[in-house]
Amino acid sequence: MRSLTSSTPASARRAPGLLPAPAWRNPRRCAGTRPRSAAGLELQDLAPGPRSSAPAAADVAAPVAPAPPAAPLVVEDDLDELLAVLPPDLGAALVGHPLRGQLIEVVLDLGRRPEARFQGAAAELLRDAPVARDELEAAAAAVAPFGSDNRAGIAGTLHRISALRSRKGAVVGLTCRVGRAVSGHVGLIRDVLAANVPVLFLGRPGVGKTTAIREIARTLSDELRQRVVVVDTSSEIGGDGDVPHHAIGAARRMQVADATRQHHVMIEAVENHMPQVVIVDEIGTEAEATACRTIAERGVTLIGTAHGCFLENLIKNPTLSDLVGGVASVTLGDDEARARGAGRKSVLERRGPPSFPVVVEMRDRGAWVAHDTAESVDALLAGKVPKVQLRLRDAASGEVTCLEVAYDQVEAQMVAQLAHGASPNASADGAERAAAGAAAANAASIDELLEGVLRGASSPPGSPAASASLDSLDGLDCIDPAAWLARFKGLSEADALQELAVLKHLGGQAGVLRPRAHGGFAGGATVGAAVASGGGGGKKKRRATRASARRG
């Protein structure tokens, strides 16, 4: 089998029909975004690898639609319709609740006290009396009949009511989840949509995947004037009833009677209704993954969601790995193994082009991580850390900022941007000043750390310089974790976060520490451990320890 991670240009390994240099990979052409590096500096180009010398306009196969002016989020929840389904005293308790806008769901379980769950706050018991059976029956009768997936809705709204049943089929619990139509999130990915690139959204339950693709359906159909078909399995995207909710705009909707037939309806949408874009929620079976590949090969843009927090979750999932190209074990020849410097001849490689050239990890409602799927999968399988785009959105102004970061530094950069005030929550001028300050602080921390490591390495064992906090080294092997931890406990929160980011930077460059990317395939340090980067002192100590253990 031919190697997929050879020196072949990245553009040659892309799926057929992709742009040779997609506009979304270059922040200069990301409409409505402000490109910066992780330290807040302007980026020339986010795309890793060789840069093209052609003009920027020549890279784009189709013009990118300009983004409208940044605007705050607009939320429509139709919450009164959901509260009318609940027992009267529970609805009255939530009508004027101070956290009404953050309500996620109301849980009614037979014989237990009713509970309300809020975004970013603790759950709250609504009353001391437990839920009675007649209350459950009245609430279940007020909504549409439950389907085979035990889900129902309220006509004309986006709310979802899910049932818990006993062994005899009786309803013993209800989860009443609030459905909201939110406009404004699409600014995080408008340039990708305008480039007609298939996108897969990943995220934990409740992070807003369905809300995002609902707005994407409206944007593509109303603003970009494309023919959009939504495959709505549980009526969660377009709401319950025969007439879809206005939140999906002019997009057409195909409802699925049985969740096990979702892949059939996906193919039917392409064969019968000539869409330019197909949108599907919760891809979760091998048949649906195969349908996604079939749709991609027919030249239709596919927008989908799947459960999973990180790209590695899909790579390791045998059912869904085909969405990102699949994984195959490849045996290298002697020459190829020597050329790669691989320690073994059997390696993992991407099997083919991904069905979704772009994967977006929704870390939070206003923080998305965009992958070039082929390059990120190849890097992770090779034990490397890919470069990704961290896209941050200011909830107040709607301004979007693009950051180029290493994949294993995403969370540190998200927190560091907030800690140093270089997030898009500040005004344009304030953000620029904060970004410059963050860059200076980052550079100073790196200089201090390098100076300390060099000073500790050149000092005799037991000297103050060799044992001082982060300067303390065990021979030339690695930083002494105990000494570093003693100093680290005394740092402020901002300094601690900055130092963690610095350590990861040095781990990739100088080899002082080698932290492994979250969930990656490469060997490396586990949490709290340091990996020797050279010298024989560590090996001698381990041999001595084993010898003493045998004598004991």
Side-chain angles (χ1 to χ4, degrees):
M1 178 178 177
R2 185 179 62 83
S3 169
L4 295 175
T5 56
S6 62
S7 58
T8 306
S11 59
R13 299 197 303 269
R14 299 185 189 277
L18 288 185
L19 303 178
W24 74 272
R25 295 296 306 278
N26 190 338
R28 290 178 297 180
R29 298 192 296 275
C30 290
T33 63
R34 302 179 64 238
R36 296 180 187 161
S37 66
L41 304 178
E42 295 294 329
L43 295 176
Q44 295 302 314
D45 197 341
L46 287 188
R51 273 27 172 200
S52 172
S53 58
D59 293 346
V60 186
V64 177
L73 296 179
V74 178
V75 180
E76 178 184 347
D77 58 15
D78 297 320
L79 190 55
D80 291 336
E81 283 78 358
L82 179 63
L83 298 183
V85 172
L86 303 177
D89 58 333
L90 302 185
L94 292 171
V95 166
H97 198 284
L99 295 178
R100 170 179 168 144
Q102 285 73 47
L103 181 64
I104 299 176
E105 60 190 11
V106 178
V107 177
L108 307 177
D109 286 335
L110 181 64
R112 294 183 175 180
R113 291 180 290 178
E115 182 181 275
R117 298 172 180 172
F118 301 92
Q119 177 74 27
E124 180 179 322
L125 297 175
L126 297 178
R127 72 182 185 196
D128 293 332
V131 177
R133 185 176 296 276
D134 60 340
E135 291 178 320
L136 280 178
E137 293 175 351
V143 300
F146 290 96
S148 60
D149 57 356
N150 282 317
R151 291 182 177 183
I154 302 173
T157 73
L158 301 172
H159 307 308
R160 186 185 76 193
I161 292 85
S162 303
L164 287 175
R165 296 185 182 272
S166 66
R167 295 179 60 184
K168 297 180 180 180
V171 175
V172 295
L174 293 175
T175 302
C176 306
R177 188 166 184 178
V178 180
R180 293 182 171 90
V182 181
S183 60
H185 285 307
V186 76
L188 283 163
I189 203 167
R190 177 178 292 273
D191 53 315
V192 183
L193 300 179
N196 294 321
V197 178
V199 185
L200 178 66
F201 291 89
L202 298 178
R204 65 184 186 278
V207 78
K209 299 186 297 296
T210 304
T211 302
I213 64 172
R214 188 183 296 127
E215 185 189 1
I216 287 173
R218 180 193 58 78
T219 301
L220 290 173
S221 60
D222 290 358
E223 299 180 16
L224 300 182
R225 298 296 181 182
Q226 299 198 36
R227 300 186 301 274
V228 181
V229 171
V230 176
V231 178
D232 199 359
T233 303
S234 59
S235 298
E236 194 172 359
I237 301 176
D240 196 68
D242 295 334
V243 179
H245 196 275
H246 62 81
I248 67 172
R252 304 180 72 188
R253 177 176 66 162
M254 296 183 66
Q255 293 179 291
V256 183
D258 188 350
T260 60
R261 293 186 51 81
Q262 176 168 282
H263 59 287
H264 290 292
V265 179
M266 292 167 61
I267 299 300
E268 180 185 341
V270 176
E271 292 178 344
N272 293 351
H273 303 289
M274 201 175 65
Q276 294 173 297
V277 181
V278 171
I279 295 178
V280 60
D281 197 13
E282 295 185 1
I283 301 169
T285 67
E286 187 174 357
E288 292 164 5
T290 303
C292 290
R293 176 162 295 281
T294 300
I295 292 174
E297 290 173 350
R298 297 187 183 191
V300 177
T301 302
L302 186 63
I303 308 293
T305 71
H307 286 298
C309 296
F310 307 103
L311 178 59
E312 298 98 313
N313 300 144
L314 285 186
I315 298 175
K316 297 176 182 179
N317 187 338
T319 302
L320 299 180
S321 63
D322 194 48
L323 298 176
V324 293
V327 179
S329 179
V330 179
T331 300
L332 303 177
D334 294 338
D335 294 340
E336 180 69 13
R338 281 193 297 269
R340 296 191 188 190
R344 59 185 185 277
K345 297 182 66 176
S346 181
V347 297
L348 294 176
E349 290 189 347
R350 179 167 50 87
R351 188 170 59 242
S355 302
F356 293 92
V358 178
V359 171
V360 175
E361 298 174 3
M362 299 178 68
R363 299 292 182 91
D364 202 348
R365 295 182 184 274
W368 295 1
V369 177
H371 291 267
D372 183 302
T373 307
E375 294 184 2
S376 290
V377 171
D378 289 346
L380 290 171
L381 292 178
K384 301 176 182 179
V385 179
K387 290 286 187 179
V388 298
Q389 277 189 3
L390 173 60
R391 297 184 171 210
L392 303 173
R393 184 186 188 282
D394 183 354
S397 67
E399 181 184 1
V400 176
T401 302
C402 287
L403 305 177
E404 182 193 37
V405 298
Y407 186 41
D408 61 349
Q409 297 184 17
V410 168
E411 293 184 5
Q413 289 296 339
M414 286 171 58
V415 181
Q417 292 293 320
L418 296 176
H420 290 281
S423 70
N425 293 326
S427 63
D429 294 339
E432 293 294 345
R433 290 193 297 269
N442 186 56
S445 299
I446 293 176
D447 292 342
E448 292 175 2
L449 182 58
L450 284 173
E451 181 182 355
V453 170
L454 294 175
R455 184 169 62 254
S458 60
S459 303
S463 65
S467 59
S469 64
L470 194 58
D471 303 348
S472 179
L473 300 175
D474 183 8
L476 292 176
D477 287 345
C478 59
I479 295 174
D480 180 13
W484 175 80
L485 182 60
R487 171 184 174 277
F488 186 77
K489 289 180 179 179
L491 296 178
S492 65
E493 181 179 356
D495 292 339
L497 291 170
Q498 186 65 41
E499 185 157 309
L500 289 176
V502 171
L503 286 175
K504 288 190 175 185
H505 172 80
L506 289 176
Q509 302 296 327
V512 179
L513 290 178
R514 297 177 183 174
R516 180 173 54 187
H518 182 84
F521 289 84
T526 56
V527 177
V531 178
S533 61
K539 294 182 180 178
K540 293 179 181 178
K541 291 180 181 180
R542 287 192 293 272
R543 287 196 294 267
T545 302
R546 288 195 294 267
S548 62
R550 287 195 295 269
R551 288 195 298 270

